[in-house]
Amino acid sequence: MSLIGYWQSRADSSPDPTEGLAEFTRTIEAGRTVRVADSRSEHGTQSVKLATRVGEWNAQFEIHQKRETATQTAHGPLVITDRQIDSAARFLVDITTRLDAGHW
């Protein structure tokens, strides 16, 4: 079995959800600012990392695509598109907003 992604969140006093990593080079607005580290163009394992802060919560969501084993979905091999990244950013903001509001 291969790791195809993960989500993590934590109550944290640090305002930087990227933990200071320079690989987060762009942002998406999804109700909150979501920072993006995109390695889809690299050889081997491609990944997209998203990071946001809502209230006192820092959260990250990462999606992996291994070219050699082609992560499978219900519709065939996973191909991470910009549209999917936008959807993942909205998901991350929604989940983190629920945590911050105590509605989890």
Side-chain angles (χ1 to χ4, degrees):
M1 185 184 318
S2 298
L3 177 68
I4 60 170
Y6 75 91
W7 166 63
Q8 71 175 3
S9 61
R10 65 189 180 288
D12 194 333
S13 60
S14 170
D16 182 7
T18 69
E19 300 173 346
L21 297 174
E23 63 196 64
F24 289 88
T25 58
R26 68 181 176 105
T27 61
I28 296 173
E29 287 303 320
R32 299 281 182 159
T33 299
V34 177
R35 296 178 187 172
V36 181
D38 188 347
S39 68
R40 290 180 290 170
S41 63
E42 295 178 13
H43 180 70
T45 300
Q46 299 175 322
S47 69
V48 175
K49 295 179 188 176
L50 307 170
T52 195
R53 180 167 179 83
V54 177
E56 295 297 316
W57 289 88
N58 285 340
Q60 291 186 9
F61 184 47
E62 185 169 355
I63 306 163
H64 299 279
Q65 168 59 68
K66 292 188 177 188
R67 288 186 188 194
E68 301 81 27
T69 58
T71 302
Q72 295 297 310
T73 72
H75 303 289
L78 175 65
V79 177
I80 304 169
T81 65
D82 288 343
R83 186 173 177 196
Q84 290 169 320
I85 293 170
D86 291 343
S87 293
R90 288 190 303 276
F91 167 78
L92 182 62
V93 168
D94 179 56
I95 294 297
T96 311
T97 299
R98 290 174 191 227
L99 282 171
D100 187 56
H103 294 113
W104 189 255

